[in-house]
Amino acid sequence: ARSVYAVFAANLPHFHAADGSGYRFLADRCVALDATNPQLAARLMKSLTQWQRHKLARKRLMLDALRSASRAKLSKDTYEVVTKGLEE
């Protein structure tokens, strides 16, 4: 899972799709992965916490994906990454 999702997050055209589908995809996969491997889910979720580096439209989409993930039942590790990512 790590290699597949990490490579996806590094695939800039697909991860940063204009409709936000790449952000939602990664956030959803991290939430699902969190149940079995919270450390990996937290590490992968960090890709979404870099929203400050992007233009306004992408910032909003990344924050939407983080907010969506924050509503899920998350492990301590992943919850910490998500909440800190929303604060920055």
Side-chain angles (χ1 to χ4, degrees), residues 1-11 15 25-26 29 33 40 44:
R2 180 176 61 89
S3 61
V4 172
Y5 297 136
V7 168
F8 174 77
N11 183 330
F15 180 63
F25 174 81
L26 185 65
R29 294 312 164 280
L33 184 60
L40 178 57
L44 292 170

Side-chain angles (χ1 to χ4, degrees), residues 17-59:
D19 65 355
S21 59
Y23 307 142
R24 288 190 309 272
F25 174 81
L26 185 65
D28 291 345
R29 294 312 164 280
C30 286
V31 168
L33 184 60
D34 188 57
T36 57
N37 193 336
Q39 291 82 18
L40 178 57
R43 197 171 322 129
L44 292 170
M45 191 68 82
K46 288 182 182 179
S47 298
L48 292 170
T49 66
Q50 305 300 314
W51 55 267
Q52 307 92 333
R53 299 179 181 179
H54 300 280
K55 293 184 179 182
L56 185 60
R58 282 195 166 65
K59 284 181 183 183

Side-chain angles (χ1 to χ4, degrees), residues 64-83:
D64 286 347
L66 284 171
R67 285 186 195 105
S68 175
S70 73
R71 292 188 289 272
K73 183 174 170 42
L74 299 172
S75 67
K76 178 183 165 193
D77 296 333
T78 306
Y79 180 78
E80 182 178 349
V81 170
V82 170
T83 55

